[in-house]
Amino acid sequence: MTSLTDQSWSGDYFVGESDIQMDMAIALLRVLHGGLCFNICGLESSYLFNLEVPDLAKRVKAKIPSCLSYSC
């Protein structure tokens, strides 16, 4: 399989895998930095287990964007 990460095939358009991984890591950290906050789901108590929060899945879906979930 040929790709831009194969220097013999891509020539001037070569992209090193370590560069891609670093760019991805930086992008994910930016998403985390901008999106994480204390009590993101607005829970009434931090003393409850996840199973004890009746609408936890609904809160997570409403409050945590998919890009933030992926970054985590």
Side-chain angles (χ1 to χ4, degrees), residues 36-52:
L36 291 176
C37 66
F38 179 75
N39 198 10
I40 195 169
C41 288
L43 300 177
E44 291 76 20
S45 171
S46 61
Y47 295 103
L48 297 175
F49 291 108
N50 288 349
L51 294 172
E52 297 175 322

Side-chain angles (χ1 to χ4, degrees), residues 49-69:
F49 291 108
N50 288 349
L51 294 172
E52 297 175 322
V53 180
D55 58 348
L56 183 60
K58 182 179 174 183
R59 289 180 188 227
V60 167
K61 188 173 182 177
K63 300 287 186 176
I64 302 176
S66 59
C67 62
L68 182 58
S69 180

Side-chain angles (χ1 to χ4, degrees), residues 4 9 14 19-20 30 32 38 40 49 57 59 63 72:
L4 294 176
W9 181 83
F14 172 71
D19 294 338
I20 294 169
R30 285 184 178 149
L32 293 172
F38 179 75
I40 195 169
F49 291 108
R59 289 180 188 227
K63 300 287 186 176
C72 290

Side-chain angles (χ1 to χ4, degrees), residues 3-7 10-21 23:
S3 71
L4 294 176
T5 58
D6 179 353
Q7 192 168 16
S10 60
D12 290 339
Y13 301 103
F14 172 71
V15 178
E17 290 183 44
S18 63
D19 294 338
I20 294 169
Q21 291 169 347
D23 290 345

